[in-house]
Amino acid sequence: MTTATHTRTDRPGSRLAARLDGRLLSPGDAGYDPARTVWNAMVDRRPRMIVQAASTADVQAAVRFARDRGLEIGVRCGGHNVAGFAVPDDGLMIDLSPMGGVRVDPVRRLARVQGGALLGALDRATQPYGLATTAGNVSHTGVGGLTLGGGMGWLARRYGLACDNVESYTVVTADGEVVTASRTAHPELFWGLRGGGGNFGVVTEFEFRLHRTGTRTLVAEFDFRAEDAVPVLEGWRDLSAAAPREATFTADVGDGPAGGGPLATVGFVWVGDPERGRRLLPALRALGRPVATRITTPSYLELQRRDDSTGGHAYRRYSAGHYLRGFPTAAVEAFLLRGAADLRGGGSGLPGVGLQAHGGAIADVPDGDAAFGHRGTMFEFGAGSRWTDPAEDGARMTAARAAGSAIAPYANGVYVNSLTAHDGQGGVRRAYPAAKLARLAALKGVWDPHNVFRLNQNIRPAAA
Ligand code: FAD
């Protein structure tokens, strides 16, 4: 045996490395730390090895290798999951980042999107044809995690959630096989992949249906002093219920300029001809006397990047979320308070809170059609905090949880993709009504009976 061969075979996973189209990274290798670093800076875990998969065959090899050795698997696409589920401590991380390609067929209006693609890549590939499909609001989020949990975006009220626009999934299963799931091939798996998260395998390709959306949008925002905003939010809620599907109503409350007290911002995002969107403006202007107004007409690609820096990397993050079927006055008051005792005292480390309207095409999809849990939602609520000093961890998380608890009495469930590590199985039960969870557990028992894919919002397999 030559020294070189000896060195190669001694290194953990060297046989695996030799088979890969991509790379195998171990602690100490160049690229190891960037690959294990995810969006939430509170996540600091060290995988035993990282497979940077460049092909479906790489994913198959990685799954089989990890399964045979009992290594916990983490799957990384955009790395945005707030709980950091992509990164297993001492396990094997499958980093899909090298598989970020998107191919568009503008004639058939289909996009083939690799499992590691970011939303920005999807939008950039489709927009030159005036096409798009539902994708989230920050361009560096992964198509993978977002779509598998449901996928909410500015087009969802018109065309359904991201998962409602998937025609087929190519999946590497727990035993390392490749299957395609669609309405006609493995339809039950297709059902589960539409909202069931990363529980059933590693998706190496999504086939998306595209829509003629054009490239233009309108964004309207009206700022009010939070302490005056109860009637404003009530009026905004009622306008949202009657709004055309091109409009997604938004509201948030955050710290205003120093000394000014908290601000409540209400408005909407319109995808389509801005002139038609402007017709909604008089009704919003009639809600009250705003302290500031912003009406902008970004291109769709600009809109999709608009929140990239507020949603940026390298901050410590914590959040609490709910789905709301209604937004009664008591919930409006709780929303404005952000979990604090009164409306004064902005800048005190309280989380920002926000609402984004559901309804429209999301609610058109029959509930039994997909694993996604809460079609009847009126608004998604989120309370989010970002900071840099670890000494603030406890206070920030407590404050975000308090804002979430204040809204909890009005909630009907939660978005599976907003669950934190603290939510555990209770969170999974809130994400899926009991009958859906039982169906998902049975499906998990078929495709992953030994729970190989468990570092996620885990659906425990039902016994066969
Ligand atoms: P990752 O951390 O890479 O993946 C999360 C989990 O998804 C993995 O642990 C794995 O279980 C699974 N997974 C990912 N890819 C695959 C794959 N190819 N095959 C199998 N399993 C996979 N959600 C919305 O719906 N709409 C939004 O507008 C939105 N905006 C967001 C903005 C920001 C700044 C952030 C941080 C999150 C946002 N989210 C939004 C939530 C988002 O959907 C989740 O954080 C989601 O988990 C992100 O997916 P990812 O691929 O980036 O994350």
Side-chain angles (χ1 to χ4, degrees), residues 108-133:
R108 294 173 64 215
R109 292 193 211 159
L110 291 172
R112 290 191 164 276
V113 181
Q114 284 189 296
L118 303 185
L119 299 180
L122 172 58
D123 289 333
R124 283 194 304 276
T126 56
Q127 275 288 280
Y129 305 101
L131 300 172
T133 197

Side-chain angles (χ1 to χ4, degrees), residues 75 77-81 85 96 115 136-137 142 145-146 148 152 201 203 415 417:
V75 180
C77 177
H80 268 202
N81 176 267
F85 285 140
L96 296 170
N137 308 349
L146 177 129
L148 286 164
M152 177 61 191
V203 177
Y415 182 25
N417 274 356

Side-chain angles (χ1 to χ4, degrees), residues 33-68:
D33 282 325
R36 74 181 182 89
T37 303
V38 288
W39 176 78
N40 185 351
M42 292 181 78
V43 177
D44 181 18
R45 301 201 204 105
R46 304 184 66 79
R48 193 180 303 179
M49 49 187 72
I50 300 174
V51 170
Q52 294 199 301
S55 62
T56 297
D58 281 2
V59 176
Q60 291 180 276
V63 168
R64 288 189 172 129
F65 182 90
R67 190 200 53 199
D68 293 349

